[in-house]
């Protein structure tokens, strides 16, 4: 099975195996999924931090501030 690729896609010998590209795409997809999971976790932590910061800023005393942690 032959596949045509854009210029400069192939190695210096001019050929590339389709299976090698599929493996690379699978690895990239896995890394994208991991990256997206990390971004979601960061956003959750950032939201929690903002909520805690707001809670503490409106606290009237130490007990109110401590209650923000729960």
């Amino acid at each position: 099975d032959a596949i045509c690729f854009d210029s400069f896609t192939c190695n210096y010998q001019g050929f590339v195996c389709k299976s090698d590209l599929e493996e690379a795409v699978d690895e990239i997809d896995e890394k994208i999924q991991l990256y997206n999971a990390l971004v979601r976790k960061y956003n959750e932590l950032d939201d929690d931090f903002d909520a805690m910061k707001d809670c503490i800023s409106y606290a009237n005393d130490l007990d109110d501030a401590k209650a923000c942690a729960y």
Side-chain angles (χ1 to χ4, degrees), residues 38-51:
L38 290 171
V39 167
R40 283 191 298 274
K41 184 63 176 175
Y42 169 83
N43 288 334
E44 289 173 9
L45 291 171
D46 190 49
D47 290 344
D48 290 347
F49 172 78
D50 285 341

Side-chain angles (χ1 to χ4, degrees), residues 2-44:
I3 296 177
C4 294
F5 297 101
D6 291 336
S7 299
F8 308 111
T9 301
C10 300
N11 64 15
Y12 68 93
Q13 296 169 328
F15 296 97
V16 64
C17 293
K18 182 180 178 225
S19 61
D20 290 343
L21 289 179
E22 289 173 344
E23 290 174 15
V25 168
D26 289 344
E27 287 179 29
I28 290 169
D29 286 343
E30 289 174 14
K31 292 185 186 327
I32 289 171
Q33 290 176 14
L34 177 59
Y35 170 81
N36 288 336
L38 290 171
V39 167
R40 283 191 298 274
K41 184 63 176 175
Y42 169 83
N43 288 334
E44 289 173 9

